[in-house]
Amino acid sequence: MTHDVAPPDEGASSEVLALAKVVARLRSEIADLEGVAASTAVLERAEGVLMAQTGISADAAYERLLERAAQRGRTLMEECWLALGRIRPGVTPVVPLPPPAPAEGSQRPPGPAVGTAVSADGPPDEDGLRPLLPRIAECLAEAGDEGDVAEMLRAVLAEAVGVDAVMIYTVTAAGSLELTGHAGVDHELADQWSHVPPLSGVAALEAIAARHPVWLEDPVQDARRYLLIGNPPERWPSRAWIPVPSDGIARAAVGFLRTRPGPFDPDTRTLLRRAVRLCGALLCAYGRPDDGGAEGAVAPDAVAHLQRILDVLSGPAVLLTPLRSATGEIEDYRIDAAAPESVDVAGRRGKELIGRKVLETYPTVAGTALWEGYQDTLATGAVYEGEPFRYQEVGAGFPQESVYSVRATRLGERLVVSWIRHDTNEREIRRLADMQRLGNLGWAGWNLTTDRVVWSDQVYAIFDRDAALGPIGLEELPRYVLPDDQPGIGAAVRRLLRLGHAVNQSFRITTADGVRHLRIVVESQTDANGTPVEVHGFFQDVTALRDAELALRESERAVLVQRGMLQAERALAARLQATLLPIPEQSLELAGLCVGVACTPADSGVNVGGDWYSAIELTDKSALFVVGDVAGHGLAAVGTMAQLRFTAKGMAITGSALIDVLRRLNNLLLHTDSEPSATATMVIGRYEPEDRRLTWARAGHLPPLLLRGGRATFLPQPDGCLLGAARDSAYGQAVIDLLPGDRLLLYTDGLVEEPGEDIDLGLDRLAKDALGLLREGADEELARTLAGRRLANRDDICVLDIHVPDEA
């Protein structure tokens, strides 16, 4: 029978929240009082030192501390730390104190004063007067927490003994380590090592447990035994972990880390041990655990004894200590000991539960039959064994529910509670079912001795088989496989049954939804003679994966076909371009001009462009120069280029005016069959050698560049939009008289354009490069040199260099 316990109502929840706020406030007040407690502990310990050394009373010791502090101009706490700094085990020698401060204006001697002993605990500080331990004692008076103590130890010991980093760890109630202070360690490493579980191979834990220092001086050997802090661990080749002395169980350790390799010498070891002993009172005061108030105080010896008993028990069990109010009413319970197999609904285990309070951790227990049973057991001593109840973990995300049977027994003023969790197997089965469903796989087992076969529900779903028909035996499996896959799966099953070889085989079956691709992964268990007696493994439906692989192959095949077609098209277009645009190997001589030509294809892409040129001498001894650029790439662009090139040449030869040539070419492109129509830019010029006059026109093309007298200028452009853009476009023309020595560059945009760059920057760069090449003497190959400078050009380049020779 299962007893469902409803969650507390809103009133009960409000009471729980109010209780949580009170607990938080009390913890804050305790934290504020820790400083006062630390100071009190230091004062009492210093009084005890004087009482032991001189035999005086406690009041007299207090008065003497006040008197010494007033004489030397120190605070009472500073004098207490100096008194503690003079402690030596077994003997009480007096450590020399610094001499009185020199009078104003007097000179301090550069070295130790005559008769002033320098401590053998370590090298003196920079003024050569004070030994290190009294200096540590003085600095401790200003320390506010463990972080200040770590910083102080590093600062004092860095130069003296090479301490580069200090880490202070405190043992929590759960047995783990908490980093409570550090210096010389970066924040990332401190966060990484802020919490260390109670694992074996942790030097700080070993030092605390054994109550003696652990010296790590050989990184290679130490790494085999201990978990070394740092990244890389060789960052500190020598380390020392020294437990903080305590009247009871040691609860803290101080780590000294050095980048200096080699062992710690005897004097350094003595110095470090005494430095930790000197800090012991303060560190113990900081690390004193919260005992929950006087009413809930725990006897450490009794709890430790019971914890040792619980450590050897099997099953879950915890020790609960009631926490009572001032009126004696039970407000909460604290877990003070736990067996290793104790696991709660959130997965916390063993020592992770120690120190937790019941209502803070499991708030919905308040007001339930379990809570009342605890109180009855404490009051009457009768063993509580309640009905199984359902508990829901309250927290963020999906709520966790579990069913428990709890048993509580009184032990003195505390409770020993054990429980049985009933839903563990149910939850594991549910998780296994979810895993099989999400992974589309199911487990199966065959007992070859009894011929018993077991399938999970998911295997029936994978095979599309009615569960009433039962599972399929291994020998029968090939009969359900497609004929093409039967030989492979049959051979694998035979090897499994005869030799015990594991199987990882893919095969196909037919279902109502079509062909499915399956995978079987099984292995066998054999008897003493090596004969297989049991087979277990899983089936997985990999149809979706196979479909994706086939789609990927088809896509790759289509890409390869398309790539081949594009490459073939590029090769054909390149051959057509080379046929239509033969590039001369040397400069042309036309109408008394020297003409250089350069045409360079793009470096990237699979298509050739539509850049072209014409440079011919006409029948009247004049010369025709044309440079054009068809938009787009590939065979279509090459075809348009050929159409424009030969049409322009034919019209010019028959005597048509330049602007008429451009107007008719524009109409030609507008009346082509392609949609949308092709577009192109073009510059055309006719040169008359008698008066060296060049008449030219443009259709959306970049301006020609004139190089004259060491200067570079772009010619003013007449009107004219690109070809194929608009009907009845009007085109203008311009005239320029060339002089001996002039050079005129006609070019396509691939020579100047860069993606994302303003075209004016490209034009300025072209003018500077052309002038620079002429100064360097590259005038004969100017066109080819300019085109060759365009590394990684993304577009075709075509350049005409028209040069008027100097007069003889």
Side-chain angles (χ1 to χ4, degrees):
M1 175 179 179
T2 299
H3 178 61
D4 292 330
V5 178
D9 57 17
E10 293 183 358
S13 299
S14 300
E15 293 177 359
V16 172
L17 292 176
L19 177 62
K21 292 179 180 178
V22 171
V23 171
R25 178 176 58 80
L26 291 176
R27 287 183 173 176
S28 176
E29 293 175 355
I30 291 172
D32 293 337
L33 292 174
E34 285 182 348
V36 178
S39 300
T40 303
V42 173
L43 176 60
E44 292 176 353
R45 194 168 183 185
E47 290 177 357
V49 170
L50 287 182
M51 292 169 62
Q53 291 178 343
T54 61
I56 60 178
S57 65
D59 293 339
Y62 178 77
E63 294 296 330
R64 180 167 298 184
L65 288 171
L66 285 176
E67 180 181 356
R68 288 181 179 179
Q71 289 177 353
R72 295 171 173 80
R74 303 188 183 99
T75 65
L76 178 60
M77 282 296 99
E78 289 175 342
E79 190 59 35
C80 290
W81 281 116
L82 286 174
L84 293 175
R86 303 187 186 99
I87 299 175
R88 296 293 186 272
V91 294
T92 56
V94 178
V95 177
L97 297 174
E104 184 177 355
S106 62
Q107 298 292 326
R108 173 172 290 189
V114 177
T116 301
V118 178
S119 172
D121 293 330
D125 62 356
E126 60 186 8
D127 64 11
L129 296 176
R130 293 178 297 174
L132 293 178
L133 288 178
R135 184 178 173 188
I136 292 175
E138 291 183 48
C139 296
L140 280 172
E142 304 296 330
D145 55 18
E146 290 94 331
D148 293 342
V149 174
E151 290 285 358
M152 179 272 298
L153 289 175
R154 177 174 174 265
V156 175
L157 301 176
E159 183 177 355
V161 295
V163 172
D164 300 287
V166 176
M167 303 179 76
I168 301 176
Y169 276 106
T170 303
V171 179
T172 66
S176 59
L177 291 178
E178 291 291 339
L179 182 62
T180 53
H182 63 86
V185 178
D186 56 77
H187 292 293
E188 182 178 356
L189 185 63
D191 291 341
Q192 180 182 356
W193 292 88
S194 61
H195 178 81
V196 182
L199 306 173
S200 60
V202 178
L205 270 177
E206 180 178 310
I208 293 172
R211 305 191 68 172
H212 64 73
V214 175
W215 309 96
L216 306 181
E217 300 163 331
D218 186 342
V220 176
Q221 295 295 331
D222 296 335
R224 297 174 181 173
R225 180 178 177 185
Y226 297 104
L227 183 64
L228 298 181
I229 294 174
N231 187 20
E234 297 80 11
R235 176 179 178 183
W236 293 297
S238 60
R239 313 157 186 242
W241 291 98
I242 302 176
V244 177
S246 173
D247 295 336
I249 300 174
R251 306 294 298 175
V254 180
F256 299 96
L257 295 81
R258 305 192 305 181
T259 56
R260 176 193 306 176
F264 294 85
D265 59 71
D267 290 341
T268 300
R269 292 191 177 195
T270 301
L271 173 63
L272 297 182
R273 285 196 297 265
R274 291 179 179 177
V276 173
R277 186 182 300 113
L278 184 60
C279 302
L282 192 60
L283 293 177
C284 289
Y286 290 146
R288 184 177 294 113
D290 178 16
D291 59 7
E295 291 78 11
V298 180
D301 294 340
V303 173
H305 180 68
L306 182 59
Q307 180 64 64
R308 288 193 291 270
I309 296 175
L310 293 180
D311 285 341
V312 299
L313 291 180
S314 60
V318 296
L319 174 68
L320 298 183
T321 299
L323 305 178
R324 301 180 182 271
S325 65
T327 60
E329 296 181 358
I330 297 177
E331 295 181 329
D332 203 346
Y333 296 89
R334 184 183 59 238
I335 302 175
D336 284 333
E341 296 184 14
S342 303
V343 183
D344 68 359
V345 68
R348 294 175 286 254
R349 179 181 298 274
K351 292 184 178 181
E352 293 179 343
L353 301 173
I354 297 177
R356 295 185 176 273
K357 296 178 181 179
V358 172
L359 288 184
E360 289 182 3
T361 311
Y362 318 106
T364 58
V365 171
T368 64
L370 177 65
W371 185 262
E372 295 174 358
Y374 285 172
Q375 293 182 332
D376 291 342
T377 299
L378 280 174
T380 65
V383 176
Y384 169 76
E385 291 183 348
E387 295 284 345
F389 76 98
R390 188 178 302 275
Y391 174 79
Q392 183 178 74
E393 175 81 354
V394 178
F398 190 82
Q400 303 283 337
E401 284 192 354
S402 294
V403 178
Y404 294 92
S405 291
V406 179
R407 187 177 190 274
T409 306
R410 188 174 72 181
L411 179 64
E413 296 299 323
R414 303 185 181 90
L415 292 176
V416 176
V417 178
S418 59
W419 63 88
I420 298 174
R421 185 170 177 175
H422 299 289
D423 64 337
T424 302
N425 292 336
E426 176 186 344
R427 178 172 296 183
E428 294 301 325
I429 292 173
R430 187 166 61 250
R431 288 176 178 174
L432 179 60
D434 290 342
M435 181 188 69
Q436 293 181 83
R437 176 178 52 83
L438 295 174
N440 206 1
L441 56 84
W443 59 267
W446 295 266
N447 190 315
L448 305 181
T449 304
T450 62
D451 292 332
R452 184 171 181 267
V453 184
V454 179
W455 276 9
S456 67
D457 294 339
Q458 191 65 27
V459 179
Y460 288 102
I462 290 173
F463 276 82
D464 194 21
R465 182 178 176 85
D466 188 354
L469 300 176
I472 299 173
L474 277 175
E475 297 87 348
E476 306 172 61
L477 182 60
R479 290 167 32 196
Y480 295 87
V481 177
L482 290 185
D484 291 345
D485 297 339
Q486 286 180 357
I489 195 68
V493 169
R494 287 191 295 271
R495 290 194 301 270
L496 172 69
L497 298 178
R498 295 176 183 174
L499 305 175
H501 292 175
V503 174
N504 187 344
Q505 187 85 14
S506 298
F507 60 94
R508 293 168 297 169
I509 63 173
T510 302
T511 66
D513 297 331
V515 175
R516 288 186 182 178
H517 294 262
L518 306 185
R519 174 183 174 217
I520 179 175
V521 180
V522 292
E523 63 181 5
S524 66
Q525 292 182 343
T526 60
D527 58 14
N529 298 322
T531 302
V533 294
E534 187 175 347
V535 175
H536 59 269
F538 65 86
F539 291 98
Q540 184 177 19
D541 185 351
V542 292
T543 304
L545 178 61
R546 291 293 184 268
D547 290 345
E549 290 177 352
L550 291 175
L552 179 60
R553 288 198 192 99
E554 291 299 325
S555 176
E556 290 176 345
R557 186 178 295 107
V559 169
L560 290 175
V561 171
Q562 181 69 14
R563 182 178 179 183
M565 293 175 61
L566 292 175
Q567 288 177 340
E569 181 180 340
R570 174 181 172 84
L572 176 58
R575 287 196 295 270
L576 287 174
Q577 188 183 52
T579 303
L580 296 172
L581 295 175
I583 308 301
E585 296 183 359
Q586 57 185 3
S587 299
L588 300 173
E589 297 289 340
L590 298 175
L593 299 175
C594 186
V595 182
V597 180
C599 282
T600 305
D603 289 341
S604 60
V606 297
N607 290 319
V608 296
D611 291 19
W612 56 279
Y613 79 96
S614 285
I616 61 173
E617 189 170 307
L618 302 178
T619 56
D620 60 357
K621 303 303 182 181
S622 64
L624 177 70
F625 301 104
V626 185
V627 169
D629 184 0
V630 177
H633 296 82
L635 288 175
V638 173
T640 303
M641 176 265 289
Q643 190 178 30
L644 294 177
R645 181 173 186 267
F646 291 113
T647 302
K649 183 187 295 186
M651 292 179 67
I653 291 174
T654 59
S656 298
L658 301 183
I659 58 176
D660 290 337
V661 172
L662 293 179
R663 186 171 58 252
R664 292 179 182 179
L665 291 178
N666 180 62
N667 293 332
L668 175 65
L669 291 185
L670 290 172
H671 288 85
T672 57
D673 296 333
S674 60
E675 285 292 339
S677 62
T679 60
T681 65
M682 178 175 165
V683 60
I684 183 170
R686 183 193 298 270
Y687 175 75
E688 299 173 2
E690 292 81 5
D691 49 9
R692 299 194 184 93
R693 176 165 294 177
L694 178 70
T695 303
W696 67 285
R698 59 178 283 274
H701 205 80
L702 294 173
L705 176 62
L706 176 64
L707 303 172
R708 173 183 290 175
R711 299 183 60 186
T713 56
F714 291 97
L715 299 183
Q717 303 184 73
D719 294 335
C721 67
L722 75 164
L723 303 175
R727 297 184 183 277
D728 301 325
S729 296
Y731 296 92
Q733 66 181 21
V735 177
I736 181 174
D737 293 331
L738 298 179
L739 303 178
D742 284 354
R743 305 183 86 103
L744 190 67
L745 295 180
L746 308 180
Y747 52 90
T748 57
D749 56 5
L751 188 65
V752 294
E753 282 189 342
E754 285 287 348
E757 181 183 80
D758 188 80
I759 190 63
D760 291 336
L761 295 177
L763 294 174
D764 292 342
R765 183 170 53 247
L766 172 61
K768 293 177 182 178
D769 290 346
L771 288 177
L773 289 173
L774 291 180
R775 294 190 189 101
E776 296 171 3
D779 54 332
E780 295 184 1
E781 296 291 336
L782 181 61
R784 289 191 176 92
T785 306
L786 286 173
R789 281 194 170 189
R790 299 293 293 150
L791 300 176
N793 53 295
R794 299 172 176 84
D795 196 2
D796 293 351
I797 297 173
C798 189
V799 185
L800 285 184
D801 172 25
I802 303 171
H803 179 206
V804 181
D806 296 328
E807 292 181 344

